[in-house]
Amino acid sequence: MAEVLLVIMLVYVTMVYGPIAAFLVELFPTKIRYTSMSLPYHIGNGWFGGMLPLLATAMVASAGNIYYGLWYPIVVAIACAIIGVLFLRDTRGTELETVE
């Protein structure tokens, strides 16, 4: 049963990681696309995703509640959703190629 759950979670992750590259690429003009997409993406994954096990374990150890470590990913997800709603614009119908 654990393997079935892991496969289901893997399918969900691939459903997110497939379109996220196209979404992130369209946020920036072609002249600065790679750096402006890659740097924050990898720093964000490394910091928030890489530090998740350490910080969640530290939170659980300090609070003594096994569910207390879930607050870190919840707060990060809520912050990302709020920032996305406030600051990301829709690029549908926008010319992305810069002409000089």
Side-chain angles (χ1 to χ4, degrees):
M1 189 60 174
E3 288 179 23
V4 171
L5 290 174
L6 287 173
V7 168
I8 290 171
M9 289 189 289
L10 181 68
V11 168
Y12 289 148
V13 166
T14 55
M15 288 170 61
V16 170
Y17 270 62
I20 199 166
F23 172 73
L24 291 174
V25 164
E26 291 181 357
L27 290 176
F28 303 100
T30 55
K31 193 172 186 177
I32 61 167
R33 183 171 286 173
Y34 183 74
T35 302
S36 58
M37 177 187 77
S38 179
L39 188 65
Y41 178 77
H42 287 96
I43 288 174
N45 277 339
W47 182 257
F48 292 114
M51 294 292 284
L52 174 65
L54 176 67
L55 291 175
T57 303
M59 291 170 69
V60 167
S62 68
N65 181 355
I66 63 169
Y67 300 113
Y68 194 72
L70 294 174
W71 282 109
Y72 176 71
I74 290 170
V75 169
V76 169
I78 290 171
C80 290
I82 291 170
I83 290 169
V85 167
L86 294 177
F87 295 108
L88 293 179
R89 65 189 192 291
D90 185 14
T91 58
R92 180 182 39 201
T94 304
E95 180 64 37
L96 298 177
E97 193 70 35
T98 59
V99 178
E100 294 184 25

